[in-house]
């Protein structure tokens, strides 16, 4: 996919269909039918390309603004406001980006206020995903700040009739060391916009000289979170606001057959909003809205749909060779008869899982004539702006989306379902409406990490080299599908399929699945070759940075000193590389009967120059915990268009009881470009644990999740 | 109906079937108490009712009327953070922060009951809380550190 900018790759890997909204035509066509083929992201499948009639939709071709004033502003007081379309969902970029601006602008961190994800105030941004904030927005803001610093120096030089080269910028002031003159940034700019282009090659501070970046900084606004003062999307309030509820179809793809809303209408204070298949209610409070929604008598007709049991067969059966399919071959396949090769063929299965961010989708929509303002939790405020404009046939400029720091996303909030629904309810009610999805709605009507099947056929020679590596991924996705190991022959293929559930982005995309399969298989190959799993990998990894994280993790973990106590304890490891991050994970498990406990995990990580070590550690620790969920227990159960376990009581996510001892080793490479760490630290845990289980029991678990009803299977 | 929240009295009109969570959030305007699951599974809506942690999504409004309720907004005293709040901040024991209100209130109640809990006791007391960002290790550390600070009397 050579023409695609890096930022867009994630959207290419997963189409996320908008929920069907059959808003009927009415009132000068204000609400038009929105067909099933309209996509939120750009689809790898042909639909969107056909739809837009060109290769990329317009939003994807937006260049980053090159004007300093688009990114930062200095008030007369010296306070600095930074504008970015990126959003904060707990990954802590509000802090790490502010650190980088503080660094280049030479101001205290406290002088900076970040305005994020507001379509009116911030420059266009495709979205916060793909671990792109650190490698793209970081440098962009650093350049803007460094350019601004040069201009401030220039302004001071002009004011003092002196040469710019002798002046220094520090602590929000320009100083002339020779004369002792000093002037604050605010006095220089007097609040005016710095309407100058960002320099092509501004003087950036090298990481070895960082004083604010590169060091742990406390989370910006941290106090708001421990005092309950921060207002998440679900906490937004405007005067006169009503509470909304949506009446959901009986199953996916259901059409409304008939509907009686008289019971709901009869409830005092409640009002029904209907538009085609869309039925919702509004009321002054939650209790009344819930009661009214329950009174709506709707009959739906849904097509028959498959369930879990048929899932993996259905994926194989529907594999397509059209857009999105790819296959890459290098080297020549060894002859089938090639003696002395040891071969291993196996299939791996990956269940559908849910992001389950603790804050469900929420939105507050306010109309003023034909202007719409929506506060909502989304990773793509500009995408949601477009979704709203298209759903309500408004010019883009009439729609403003604001994204308050949100209660997590994990790749699950690319879309604007709640925003569209709240806006539709508010339009019907003639009042502002807030809608907070229930947990069941979030588990059902959001989208899922794709399920998948992976086939690997590999061979290893007597010297422990990989002679053949064939890897076929069905549906789960192409992220990190390649192998970081040297192989004499390799064939790697991704097969898109017809997924039974709405699926999309998830922390690290398919990298979890692909690493699970690859690193499990590598362990078995090591066993076939009779080589220690660490030695086997090191022997076949050409990339020195990947070898380095492996060595660091293994050393800290005590890999060489591990004691084998069969049936009781097992040790496993795994490594990976994706999105600029190198990871190596070692795990120790304790097994008693069919009960499994992950005793400890050591993970080494290298994503170049570290910007905020404490924030980075927090991300890595969190990714390991989240990864334990998908590794051991999480799986969406579904049947005939319904989700069977849409609750935390039925879908068990990691809890305190699952917390292993965790050690994180940061490899800080000051001379390497900084990359993001929101995703890739998750990929090592599942295979490391699978390998540890195999080490302890000899049992090779090839399905995610690995546990059945919370326990190890008795046999494979 | 009369509610006693964070030391203040609120006279609130309550709809049939209304639960404490929405009274606090929508009628009294204390949005620090979060909705997470509606089935008492995640702990995001935890408040202290007569000093004991309860899931406010499971408490009928009528069942809380007249009893003292403490929400996250009522934990700090005169702008001074409660030791558990201070420790969460110090340890950066959160990412998105959506579970934080509930975690802090349960931890504060634990320390009230048991000033020196060990790690196992902390995990057990908080196991009904979900942190989807997976910050559990830091939360355990924060609670231990709060317990130490509280015992040392450095923060009251």
């Amino acid at each position: 996919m050579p023409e695609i900018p890096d930022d867009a790759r994630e959207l290419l890997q997963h189409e996320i269909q908008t929920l069907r909204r059959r808003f009927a035509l009415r009132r000068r066509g204000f609400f038009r039918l929105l067909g099933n083929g309209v996509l939120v992201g750009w689809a790898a499948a042909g639909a969107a390309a056909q739809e837009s009639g060109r290769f990329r939709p317009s939003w994807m071709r937006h260049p980053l603004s090159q004007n300093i004033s688009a990114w930062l502003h200095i008030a007369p007081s010296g306070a600095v406001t930074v504008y970015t379309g990126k959003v904060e969902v707990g990954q802590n970029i509000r802090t790490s980006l502010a650190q980088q601006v503080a660094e280049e602008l030479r101001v205290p961190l406290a002088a900076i206020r970040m305005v994020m994800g507001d379509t009116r105030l911030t420059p266009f941004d495709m979205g916060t995903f793909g671990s792109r904030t650190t490698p793209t927005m970081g440098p962009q803001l650093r350049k803007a700040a460094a350019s601004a610093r040069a201009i401030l120096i220039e302004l001071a030089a002009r004011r003092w009739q002196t040469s710019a080269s002798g002046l220094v910028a520090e602590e929000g002031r320009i100083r002339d060391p020779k004369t002792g003159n000093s002037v604050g940034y605010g006095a220089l700019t007097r609040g005016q916009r710095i309407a100058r282009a960002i320099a092509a090659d501004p003087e950036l501070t090298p990481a070895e000289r960082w004083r604010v970046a590169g060091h742990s900084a406390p989370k910006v606004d941290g106090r708001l979170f421990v005092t309950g003062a921060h207002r998440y999307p679900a906490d937004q309030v405007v005067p006169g606001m009503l509470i909304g509820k949506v009446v959901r179809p009986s199953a996916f793809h259901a059409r409304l057959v008939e509907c009686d809303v008289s019971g709901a209408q009869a409830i005092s204070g409640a009002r029904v909003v209907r538009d085609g298949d869309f039925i919702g209610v509004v009321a002054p409070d939650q209790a009344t809205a819930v009661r009214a929604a329950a009174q709506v008598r709707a009959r739906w007709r849904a097509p028959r749909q498959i369930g879990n049991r048929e899932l993996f067969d259905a994926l194989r059966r529907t594999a397509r060779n059209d857009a999105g399919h790819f296959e890459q071959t290098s080297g020549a396949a060894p002859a089938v008869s090639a003696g002395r090769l040891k071969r291993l063929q196996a299939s791996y299965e990956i269940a559908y899982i849910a992001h389950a961010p603790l804050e469900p989708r929420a939105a507050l929509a306010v109309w003023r004539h034909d202007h719409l303002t929506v506060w909502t939790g989304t990773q793509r405020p500009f995408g949601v702006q477009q979704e709203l404009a298209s759903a309500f046939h408004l010019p883009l400029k009439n729609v403003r989306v604001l994204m308050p720091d949100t209660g997590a996303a994990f790749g699950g909030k690319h879309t604007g379902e709640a925003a569209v629904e709240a806006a539709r309810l508010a339009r019907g009610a003639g009042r502002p409406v807030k809608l907070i999805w229930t947990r069941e709605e979030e588990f059902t009507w959001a989208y899922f990490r794709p399920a998948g099947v992976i086939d690997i056929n590999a061979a290893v020679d007597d010297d422990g080299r990989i002679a053949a590596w064939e890897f076929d991924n069905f549906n789960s996705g192409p992220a990190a599908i390649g192998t970081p190991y040297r192989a004499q022959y390799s064939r790697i293929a991704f097969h898109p399929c017809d997924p039974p559930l709405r699926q999309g982005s998830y922390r690290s995309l398919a990298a979890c699945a692909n690493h699970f399969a690859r690193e499990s298989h590598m362990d078995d190959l090591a066993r076939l070759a009779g080589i220690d799993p660490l030695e086997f990998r090191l022997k076949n990894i050409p990339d020195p940075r990947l070898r380095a994280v492996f060595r660091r993790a293994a050393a800290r973990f005590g890999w060489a000193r591990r004691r084998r106590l069969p049936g009781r304890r097992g040790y496993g490891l795994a490594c990976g590389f994706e999105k600029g991050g190198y990871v190596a994970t070692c795990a120790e498990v304790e097994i008693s009967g069919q009960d499994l406990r992950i005793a400890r995990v050591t993970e080494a990580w290298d994503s170049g120059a570290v910007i905020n070590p404490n924030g980075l550690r927090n991300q890595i620790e969190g990714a390991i915990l989240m990864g334990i969920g998908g590794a051991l227990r999480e799986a969406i159960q579904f049947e005939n268009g319904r989700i069977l376990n849409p609750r935390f009581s039925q879908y068990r996510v990691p809890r305190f009881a699952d917390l292993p001892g965790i050690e994180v080793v940061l490899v800080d490479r000051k001379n390497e470009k900084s990359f993001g760490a929101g995703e890739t630290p998750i990929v090592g845990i599942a295979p490391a644990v699978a390998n540890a289980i195999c080490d302890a029991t000899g049992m090779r678990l090839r399905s995610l999740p690995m546990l059945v009803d919370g326990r190890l299977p008795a046999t494979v | 109906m009369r509610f006693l929240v964070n030391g203040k009295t609120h006279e609130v009109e309550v709809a049939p079937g209304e639960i404490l969570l929405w009274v606090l959030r929508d009628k009294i305007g204390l949005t620090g108490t979060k909705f997470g699951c509606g089935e008492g599974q995640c702990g995001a809506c935890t408040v202290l009712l007569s000093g004991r942690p309860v899931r406010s999504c499971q408490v009928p409004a009528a069942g809380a009327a007249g009893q003292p309720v403490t929400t996250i907004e009522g934990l700090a005293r005169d702008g001074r953070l409660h030791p558990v709040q201070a420790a969460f901040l110090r340890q950066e024991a959160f990412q998105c922060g959506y579970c934080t209100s509930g975690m802090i209130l349960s931890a504060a109640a634990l320390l009230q009951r048991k000033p020196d809990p060990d790690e196992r006791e902390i995990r057990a007391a908080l196991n009904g809380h979900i942190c989807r960002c997976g910050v559990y290790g830091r939360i355990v550390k924060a609670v231990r550190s709060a317990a130490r600070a509280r015992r040392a009397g450095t923060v009251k």
Side-chain angles (χ1 to χ4, degrees):
Chain A
M1 302 173 200
E3 287 181 61
I4 309 303
D6 272 355
D7 279 22
R9 267 199 202 123
E10 173 142 339
L11 294 180
L12 285 170
Q13 291 185 6
H14 289 295
E15 63 184 277
I16 304 171
Q17 288 191 311
T18 53
L19 291 179
R20 286 190 206 202
R21 318 239 168 232
R22 295 190 177 84
F23 290 161
L25 288 162
R26 54 157 86 162
R27 282 186 310 217
R28 294 173 290 126
F30 192 78
F31 298 109
R32 266 183 233 273
L33 192 78
L34 193 59
N36 190 25
V38 180
L39 302 173
V40 176
W42 189 81
Q50 287 156 18
E51 189 96 354
S52 61
R54 56 176 177 261
F55 188 56
R56 295 182 218 163
S58 59
W59 52 263
M60 208 182 262
R61 285 176 282 122
H62 245 280
L64 289 176
S65 170
Q66 288 309 310
N67 198 306
I68 294 170
S69 67
W71 303 98
L72 58 90
H73 180 257
I74 300 171
S77 66
V80 179
T81 308
V82 177
Y83 302 92
T84 173
K86 296 291 180 206
V87 295
E88 174 63 51
V89 289
Q91 80 283 42
N92 209 22
I93 60 170
R94 185 178 287 281
T95 307
S96 64
L97 290 175
Q99 282 180 277
Q100 293 176 77
V101 173
E103 181 68 52
E104 294 297 352
L105 199 54
R106 313 280 193 260
V107 296
L109 189 53
I112 292 178
R113 187 173 71 97
M114 302 286 300
V115 172
M116 304 177 76
D118 177 336
T119 60
R120 173 143 321 153
L121 300 180
T122 65
F124 172 86
D125 192 88
M126 202 179 297
T128 306
F129 51 72
S131 295
R132 300 301 299 163
T133 300
T134 300
T136 62
M137 188 51 60
Q140 178 69 18
L141 293 180
R142 285 178 66 198
K143 277 189 197 164
S147 303
R149 175 184 13 117
I151 291 163
L152 290 162
I153 287 177
E154 202 183 296
L155 288 172
R158 210 175 299 158
R159 172 183 281 222
W160 296 325
Q161 302 285 311
T162 184
S163 140
S165 62
L167 304 182
V168 290
E170 56 187 28
E171 293 294 303
R173 304 182 72 80
I174 305 296
R175 211 164 52 81
D176 184 342
K178 289 198 293 285
T179 62
N181 280 340
S182 153
V183 58
Y185 291 173
L188 283 170
T189 60
R190 299 190 311 269
Q192 296 173 85
R193 295 167 59 229
I194 307 176
R196 291 262 288 269
I198 295 171
D201 195 12
E203 193 200 326
L204 295 177
T205 311
E208 312 87 71
R209 300 221 313 265
W210 282 350
R211 295 162 65 173
V212 185
H215 301 272
S216 295
K219 186 178 171 81
V220 169
D221 295 341
R223 197 184 164 97
L224 299 182
F225 294 92
V226 300
T227 55
H230 172 67
R231 288 194 179 254
Y232 292 84
D235 304 333
Q236 300 296 318
V237 175
V238 291
M241 177 185 96
L242 297 174
I243 302 295
K245 286 294 295 172
V246 176
V247 176
R248 298 290 170 189
S250 60
F252 300 130
H253 311 295
R255 299 290 322 254
L256 186 61
V257 179
E258 56 183 15
C259 181
D260 173 8
V261 298
S262 55
Q265 298 277 31
I267 290 174
S268 163
R271 207 168 134 190
V272 176
V273 176
R274 273 199 68 182
D275 187 345
D277 279 8
F278 177 84
I279 314 167
V281 299
V282 293
D285 54 64
Q286 277 283 342
T288 309
V290 169
R291 210 148 42 89
Q295 286 302 314
V296 171
R297 301 277 168 259
R299 203 153 65 78
W300 305 86
R301 183 177 301 133
R304 280 213 63 78
Q305 293 161 64
I306 68 158
N308 291 79
R309 280 183 309 271
E310 301 121 285
L311 171 63
F312 299 116
D313 287 342
L315 292 179
R316 281 185 192 281
R317 201 174 56 239
T318 60
R320 305 186 310 258
N321 283 329
D322 56 9
H325 170 271
F326 79 82
E327 186 164 316
Q328 217 165 38
T329 305
S330 86
V336 181
S337 60
R340 320 202 61 171
L341 289 185
K342 295 185 174 107
R343 293 173 187 276
L344 178 69
Q345 186 167 8
S347 293
Y348 300 82
E349 293 173 345
I350 316 296
Y352 273 113
I353 66 174
H355 311 78
L358 203 55
E359 183 186 27
R361 281 163 166 70
L364 165 60
V366 181
W367 287 91
R368 252 189 95 184
H369 310 298
D370 59 349
H371 283 73
L372 172 62
T373 303
V374 179
W375 287 260
T376 192
T378 176
Q379 295 173 252
R380 298 180 56 240
F382 288 88
V384 173
Q385 180 196 29
Q386 195 147 59
E387 230 181 300
L388 289 163
S390 132
F392 299 106
H393 290 265
L394 298 169
L396 216 48
K397 65 175 172 42
N398 288 20
V399 181
R400 181 181 185 182
V401 174
L402 298 97
M403 157 79 185
D405 293 9
T406 288
F410 311 120
K413 289 180 180 167
H414 280 209
T415 46
E417 299 84 359
V420 174
E421 289 162 358
R424 184 62 193 89
L425 291 170
R427 190 80 205 177
R431 295 264 292 273
V433 170
K434 177 157 80 176
L435 171 68
I436 305 174
W437 277 20
T438 63
R439 182 52 57 189
E440 291 80 356
E441 288 176 303
E442 183 66 36
F443 264 120
T444 305
W445 297 98
Y447 53 86
F448 303 97
R449 185 177 82 178
V453 182
I454 295 169
D455 294 335
I456 306 180
N457 190 2
V460 64
D461 71 16
D462 274 351
D463 298 325
R465 286 175 309 198
I466 299 162
W469 182 260
E470 291 188 319
F471 192 101
D472 288 276
N473 176 312
F474 296 86
N475 191 63
S476 99
I481 198 172
T483 171
Y485 301 104
R486 223 180 272 110
Q488 290 153 47
Y489 156 71
S490 74
R491 186 186 59 78
I492 288 162
F494 170 63
H495 310 272
C497 308
D498 293 339
L501 298 182
R502 186 175 178 232
Q503 61 185 35
S505 179
Y506 180 104
R507 195 176 202 170
S508 93
L509 305 173
C512 268
N514 287 327
H515 276 85
F516 170 67
R518 181 195 320 123
E519 290 297 304
S520 298
H521 215 78
M522 285 297 291
D523 237 50
D524 285 348
L525 290 180
R527 202 161 286 117
L528 274 181
I531 305 176
D532 174 87
L534 176 61
E535 287 314 307
F536 177 63
R537 285 177 174 85
L538 291 174
K539 187 184 174 79
N540 287 293
I541 296 173
D543 190 324
R545 283 175 75 181
L546 189 53
R547 283 205 304 272
V549 285
F550 232 143
R551 291 213 171 92
R552 294 288 297 274
R556 180 70 66 87
F557 182 78
W559 179 258
R561 298 188 309 274
R562 71 194 188 283
R563 302 250 308 277
R564 186 178 298 266
L565 303 167
R568 298 275 310 149
R569 269 166 199 274
Y571 302 86
L573 42 72
C575 76
F577 169 72
E578 172 70 354
K579 292 175 177 161
Y582 295 86
V583 63
T585 312
C586 304
E588 176 179 332
V589 300
E590 232 175 69
I591 291 166
S592 150
Q594 281 168 259
D595 291 327
L596 170 80
R597 192 175 80 84
I598 303 173
R600 63 190 183 101
V601 176
T602 303
E603 185 157 294
W605 173 256
D606 167 8
S607 52
V610 175
I611 291 159
N612 180 348
N614 189 38
L616 177 56
R617 284 176 185 279
N618 205 343
Q619 281 303 304
I620 296 169
E621 293 157 11
I624 291 168
L625 254 295
M626 192 172 201
I628 286 174
L632 298 185
R633 289 189 166 90
E634 291 181 38
I636 285 291
Q637 311 291 334
F638 62 100
E639 183 69 59
N640 211 14
R642 291 185 183 85
I643 302 303
L644 305 178
N645 56 342
R647 294 162 172 263
F648 280 132
S649 54
Q650 299 163 322
Y651 182 99
R652 193 179 174 294
V653 298
R655 290 180 177 268
F656 278 94
D658 304 307
L659 172 67
I662 294 179
E663 270 193 300
V664 171
V665 182
L666 293 185
V667 181
D668 187 0
R669 295 192 185 268
K670 299 277 187 213
N671 53 348
E672 297 284 350
K673 185 171 154 55
S674 304
F675 283 90
E679 302 184 79
T680 304
I682 199 177
V683 303
I685 183 72
V689 167
N691 292 338
I693 292 170
C694 191
D695 181 51
T697 65
M699 189 162 60
R700 172 52 68 189
L701 301 179
R702 294 195 173 95
S703 295
L704 291 185
M706 289 182 255
L707 302 186
V708 181
D709 297 326
R711 310 189 74 201
L712 286 169
T715 53
V716 186
Chain B
M1 232 174 256
R2 182 168 295 178
F3 292 88
L4 256 165
V5 186
N6 302 332
K8 277 195 207 138
T9 306
H10 300 262
E11 200 65 52
V12 172
E13 259 187 59
V14 167
E18 193 132 56
I19 53 167
L20 178 60
L21 170 64
W22 301 112
V23 169
L24 293 171
R25 286 178 53 85
D26 291 347
K27 303 221 160 143
I28 301 178
L30 295 172
T31 54
T33 306
K34 306 302 180 195
F35 168 79
C37 69
E39 56 164 349
Q41 278 285 323
C42 77
C45 68
T46 301
V47 298
L48 304 183
L49 184 62
S50 300
R52 294 177 46 169
V54 295
R55 305 291 186 246
S56 66
C57 76
Q58 299 297 301
V59 177
Q67 293 184 60
V69 175
T70 305
T71 71
I72 189 69
E73 291 92 342
L75 210 52
R77 288 268 172 273
D78 308 319
R80 269 168 60 118
L81 296 181
H82 183 281
V84 176
Q85 289 175 305
F88 268 64
L89 200 52
R90 208 163 49 236
Q91 301 284 341
E92 213 150 285
F94 48 84
Q95 285 181 19
C96 82
Y98 199 76
C99 70
T100 306
S101 304
M103 291 277 187
I104 288 178
L105 286 164
S106 276
L110 169 68
L111 297 189
Q112 194 67 43
R113 199 172 73 236
K114 200 159 185 25
D116 188 17
D118 62 22
E119 180 166 340
R120 198 181 42 84
E121 289 165 327
I122 295 170
R123 287 184 185 220
L126 297 181
N127 202 44
H129 289 261
I130 291 172
C131 169
R132 192 58 174 143
C133 302
V135 187
Y136 297 125
R138 284 169 182 247
I139 294 170
V140 171
K141 275 196 202 123
V143 177
R144 300 194 71 162
S145 145
R148 277 194 302 276
R150 203 168 158 273
R151 287 197 313 278
T154 52
V155 198
K156 180 97 180 118

